Amino acid sequence: MSGRVMGFIGKLDASLAVTRPLWHWLGQVALVVLGAHLAADHLDGAIGRFLADVPVAWPDTSTPFTVGLWTAVALELLVTIWAVRTLSRTAEHRVAGVKDWASRWSVHNLAGPVFWLPVSLAGSWVIAMAVEDLFPLEQAAHVVGTLVGLLVAFRLAGTGFLQLVLNAPVPKRRVEGWVYVLPLALVGWFAARYGLPIWGWLP
């Protein structure tokens, strides 16, 4: 009986090893989804307040905030699709060095890592806060949550960032990706502003 159990565990471990790249990829995308969702939670109100100040005859006072909400949702969906597509493009040949990367520079290859880092780190912070909230011992919860967040950031956020830099795709045009710059900048800034626990440390 024990031999069958050990054989099953061995087969399960082997199957998980084969699918590990897929789970790693899904984890990287999930971090961007979490970070983008956190950003969207703050972005919708900012857009709503901006639109409310625009001299337009809105049907009622809640309309600008409704527009802001759906705009933030659309941006969240857009950057998620962007992340999936961008990660899939890192399957191309690895850059051989600085000169090789310079020969591949494009708007996409510059904006991608700059966006990825704050948003995926914000996703790591969301996970850390979730672990902290679930941990039963209040005094140790912060330490455990921080350690989990750092581990996720190292294993997923950091590796995703390096993939975008070291496996930058060969662009067809230098301006490739320019249409995503504004959405990425908006979501990236709000993720950095509200999803990174660094602002309290700054003077």
Side-chain angles (χ1 to χ4, degrees), residues 128-144:
M129 294 300 99
V131 171
E132 184 174 337
D133 290 341
L134 292 173
F135 203 75
L137 301 177
E138 184 176 349
Q139 293 181 343
H142 180 68
V143 174
V144 174

Side-chain angles (χ1 to χ4, degrees), residues 86-103:
T86 298
L87 276 180
S88 69
R89 295 184 67 193
T90 61
E92 297 187 27
H93 295 297
R94 193 181 183 92
V95 296
V98 176
K99 289 184 178 180
D100 188 20
W101 192 95
S103 69

